[in-house]
């Protein structure tokens, strides 16, 4: 990728939550630019506004002020159909709690977004099987989520997120409910997918294992961007920590 | 590239069916409410059809056995109709049934909040969610109503046979009985759909952010 295209641009975003008596200012003016194909981690203590920012980027919530652009489209301008389309085709979501549909098999979970996108049945089953194989779940396609371990469920979720070849994968604490080793496996899987398919991965996390694979880390503190570090600055940082 | 999100009818039917199958017990309870209400409706209607037919024959034996089993027949009556009290009981039972269905479906929606939120994150429109719930209700409604109507008809026959003996078999008004069963079935399906309307709309209005929330 020679051009440095911005896939996500956040300009001067604030978000207030009106709790009746008081108004909580969660985000106090955030400016961000995320380049296509990067693996970006959003780090911050809980209550820092990390999740709120994350939801804005995912088009799940609208900012009080400021604008969020995805692929140069202001998401505040989209109607319900276009927003659904954006969620379906442009963004793949990975959740802390996996959120697979419990009544569907692994394969059906992966093909669901393709069904929404209008992919013919045959083609989506074929692609679903390929994706499941890619995430290391060959032969488990007929299993229900309840018959899979946490790590395996999250692998299905990764396959599902990739189903419509999105431009962005949004992962909200993807390792939060996994043990150390399984968490590492999921992180390296995400990294692999990001490298292979050029998809931008944005993950909100406070898992320090994420730092090793991130191209860029955005630190959020108290509703503002604290600092943005690139990979080369980071390696010194984590190196220092691990020694 | 068209900016369209779709969910084919066949696919939504499959999804509804799977959802019912894997929550079989819950669906069974909802369906059972319907079976009971519809069978009561069918039973009282068909019993009336049979008695009406017996009166219409003009046979004095039949007239006597009708009077004996408690039908209020005034001299000169040629047809029977349900008493206001009977009608009220049927209406009340149907009302209780709808309330029961609404309650069961609301619980089902609450239970599936995360699932619905996830589907929305994957690109589902509000009407996909409504459609899945309505289809589930339609399947439950059809199964419950048909079972209920059959059960009601069988009970009505058995009751009539016990009370009036086998003499009534040749004069059974099959056509009226059939149409009464159909009306009962249709009413049942209608009730099932009526009961799911509010829960389905509530589900559809849910924000996808709900799927992100950690607490279950």
């Amino acid at each position: 990728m020679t051009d440095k295209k911005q896939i996500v641009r956040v300009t001067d975003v604030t978000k207030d939550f009106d709790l009746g008596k008081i108004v909580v200012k969660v985000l106090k003016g955030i400016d961000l630019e995320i380049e296509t194909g990067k693996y970006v981690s959003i780090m911050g203590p809980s209550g820092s506004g990390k999740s709120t920012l994350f939801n804005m980027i995912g088009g799940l919530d609208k900012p009080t002020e400021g604008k969020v652009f995805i692929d140069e489209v202001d998401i505040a301008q989209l109607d319900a159909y276009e927003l659904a389309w954006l969620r379906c085709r442009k963004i793949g979501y990975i959740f802390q709690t996996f959120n697979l549909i419990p009544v569907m098999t692994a394969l059906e979970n992966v093909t669901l977004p393709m069904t929404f996108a209008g992919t013919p049945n045959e083609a989506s089953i074929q692609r679903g099987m390929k994706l499941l194989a890619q995430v290391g779940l060959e032969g488990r396609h007929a299993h229900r989520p309840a018959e899979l371990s946490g790590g395996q469920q999250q692998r299905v979720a990764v396959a599902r997120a990739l189903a419509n070849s999105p431009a962005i994968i949004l992962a909200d604490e993807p390792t939060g409910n996994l043990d150390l080793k399984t968490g590492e496996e999921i992180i390296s899987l995400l990294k692999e997918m990001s490298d292979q398919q050029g998809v931008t991965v944005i993950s909100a996390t406070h898992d320090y294992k994420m730092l090793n694979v991130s191209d860029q880390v955005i630190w959020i503190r108290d509703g503002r961007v604290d600092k943005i570090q690139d990979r080369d600055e980071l390696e010194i940082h984590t190196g220092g920590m691990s020694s | 590239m068209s900016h369209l999100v779709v969910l084919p009818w066949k696919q939504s039917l499959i999804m509804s069916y799977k959802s019912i199958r894997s929550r079989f017990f819950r669906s069974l309870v909802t369906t059972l409410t319907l079976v009971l209400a519809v069978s009561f409706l069918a039973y009282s209607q068909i019993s009336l059809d049979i008695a009406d037919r017996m009166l219409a024959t003009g046979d004095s034996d039949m007239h006597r056995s009708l009077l004996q089993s408690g039908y209020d027949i005034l001299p000169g009556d040629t047809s029977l109709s349900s008493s206001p009290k009977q009608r009220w009981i049927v209406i009340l039972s149907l009302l209780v049934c709808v309330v029961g269905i609404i309650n069961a479906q609301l619980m089902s929606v609450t239970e599936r909040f995360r699932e619905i939120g996830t589907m929305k994150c994957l690109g589902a429109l509000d009407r996909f969610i409504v459609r899945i719930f309505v289809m589930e209700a339609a399947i439950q409604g059809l199964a419950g109503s048909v079972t209920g109507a059959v059960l009601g008809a069988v009970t009505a026959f058995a009751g009539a046979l016990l009370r009036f003996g086998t003499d009534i078999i040749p004069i059974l008004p099959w056509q009226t009985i059939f149409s009464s069963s159909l009306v009962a079935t249709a009413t049942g399906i209608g009730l099932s759909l009526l009961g799911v309307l509010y829960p389905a709309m509530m589900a559809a209005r849910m924000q996808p952010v709900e799927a992100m929330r950690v607490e279950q």
Side-chain angles (χ1 to χ4, degrees):
Chain A
M1 243 167 265
T2 44
D3 62 324
K4 291 201 168 178
K5 219 181 114 205
Q6 256 86 43
I7 186 82
V8 175
R9 195 149 57 86
V10 177
T11 54
D12 206 21
V13 160
T14 64
K15 178 71 179 176
D16 304 336
F17 284 105
D18 194 346
L19 300 181
K21 283 189 189 126
I22 46 164
V23 174
V24 183
K25 291 182 189 299
V26 178
L27 296 182
K28 300 165 184 168
I30 292 213
D31 288 283
L32 270 183
E33 280 176 353
I34 294 172
E35 272 173 42
T36 307
K38 286 277 177 80
Y39 191 115
V40 180
S41 292
I42 301 176
M43 284 267 195
S46 47
S48 59
K50 179 180 57 173
S51 294
T52 310
L53 173 66
F54 191 77
N55 290 341
M56 304 277 168
I57 296 174
L60 299 173
D61 210 347
K62 287 189 173 165
T64 308
E65 266 173 71
K67 283 189 163 70
V68 177
F69 296 90
I70 292 176
D71 227 359
E72 295 306 318
V73 176
D74 180 1
I75 60 169
Q77 305 292 326
L78 300 179
D79 62 23
Y81 289 86
E82 290 167 322
L83 211 53
W85 183 85
L86 182 91
R87 289 181 194 137
C88 184
R89 303 298 293 262
K90 285 272 176 186
I91 304 175
Y93 298 89
I94 296 172
F95 307 91
Q96 177 175 356
T97 46
F98 322 137
N99 285 19
L100 300 179
I101 313 289
V103 303
M104 295 184 181
T105 63
L107 180 64
E108 287 163 347
N109 265 289
V110 178
T111 54
L112 185 63
M114 291 189 263
T115 306
F116 288 153
T119 315
N121 220 359
E122 284 291 302
S124 60
I125 287 175
Q126 221 169 26
R127 179 162 168 79
M129 292 299 260
K130 205 178 113 201
L131 283 168
L132 282 176
Q134 263 178 22
V135 297
L137 286 177
E138 214 155 21
R140 311 296 301 255
H141 64 274
H143 290 236
R144 296 271 180 89
E147 297 158 356
L148 298 169
S149 71
Q152 287 169 330
Q153 286 188 47
Q154 197 61 303
R155 281 166 188 271
V156 177
V158 172
R160 179 177 68 182
L162 289 164
N164 286 328
S165 311
I168 308 169
I169 284 191
L170 280 176
D172 187 17
E173 306 263 3
T175 58
N177 276 15
L178 298 173
D179 63 58
L180 208 72
K181 187 167 158 291
T182 327
E184 268 169 4
E185 282 168 17
I186 293 294
I187 292 170
S188 61
L189 180 65
L190 278 174
K191 179 66 179 169
E192 207 181 296
M193 296 295 149
S194 145
D195 288 344
Q196 278 174 13
Q197 321 210 353
V199 50
T200 313
V201 177
I202 305 171
S203 75
T205 184
H206 40 235
D207 186 346
Y208 282 89
K209 296 194 291 294
M210 276 286 188
L211 295 181
N212 293 323
V213 297
S214 303
D215 295 319
Q216 198 173 51
V217 178
I218 298 163
W219 299 83
I220 303 287
R221 181 173 290 276
D222 202 19
R224 290 178 208 280
V225 176
D226 192 25
K227 58 189 171 189
I228 299 179
Q229 291 176 309
D230 281 330
R231 189 173 177 77
D232 40 352
E233 302 167 59
L234 267 172
E235 257 158 358
I236 308 162
H237 186 70
T238 48
M241 272 199 349
S242 61
S243 65
Chain B
M1 206 191 293
S2 72
H3 282 216
L4 270 182
V5 210
V6 294
L7 181 63
W9 282 98
K10 194 183 146 207
Q11 210 67 36
S12 30
L13 191 66
I14 293 172
M15 280 163 79
S16 307
Y17 170 70
K18 277 198 182 121
S19 172
I20 290 182
R21 210 184 49 184
S22 49
R23 278 178 268 258
F24 188 69
F25 189 69
R26 160 72 49 85
S27 305
L28 202 67
V29 174
T30 319
T31 314
L32 213 59
T33 329
L34 210 56
V35 170
L36 290 176
V38 171
S39 68
F40 184 52
L41 174 66
Y43 168 77
S44 51
Q45 193 55 47
I46 291 171
S47 297
L48 192 70
D49 288 343
I50 295 175
D52 190 41
R53 186 58 213 259
M54 285 166 67
L55 186 66
T57 57
D59 191 293
S60 56
D61 282 345
M62 296 230 174
H63 197 270
R64 203 176 322 118
S65 46
L66 277 178
L67 279 175
Q68 269 171 5
S69 55
Y71 283 93
D72 299 323
I73 308 167
L74 297 173
D77 273 357
T78 49
S79 71
L80 282 169
S81 61
S82 51
S83 66
K85 196 169 80 185
Q86 244 173 340
R87 259 172 283 165
W88 270 113
I89 294 174
V90 170
I91 289 173
L92 269 182
S93 85
L94 297 181
L95 207 65
V96 170
C97 168
V98 174
V99 172
I101 290 173
I102 294 178
N103 188 22
Q105 297 284 16
L106 274 178
M107 270 185 79
S108 154
V109 167
T110 318
E111 192 181 79
R112 288 154 75 177
F113 251 35
R114 174 163 303 200
E115 191 181 320
I116 298 162
T118 309
M119 284 210 204
K120 286 204 152 178
C121 282
L122 300 180
L125 293 170
D126 289 9
R127 59 188 159 90
F128 295 179
I129 310 287
V130 172
R131 197 195 292 167
I132 288 171
F133 273 90
V134 168
M135 277 190 152
E136 271 187 49
I139 295 174
Q140 289 171 343
L142 190 70
S145 304
V146 169
T147 317
V150 170
L151 195 70
V154 168
T155 323
F157 284 144
L161 277 179
L162 276 178
R163 279 190 294 185
F164 310 122
T166 47
D167 291 350
I168 57 154
I169 293 179
I171 60 153
L172 285 176
W174 291 109
Q175 211 165 2
T176 328
I177 290 174
F178 184 68
S179 63
S180 292
S181 308
L182 269 190
V183 169
T185 309
T187 311
I189 296 173
L191 292 182
S192 179
L193 293 179
L194 188 72
V196 82
L197 221 58
Y198 171 68
M201 264 156 44
M202 199 181 103
R205 272 204 308 265
M206 214 199 76
Q207 291 302 308
V209 187
E210 303 274 346
M212 295 284 201
R213 303 242 159 92
V214 177
E215 78 271 22
Q216 179 81 50

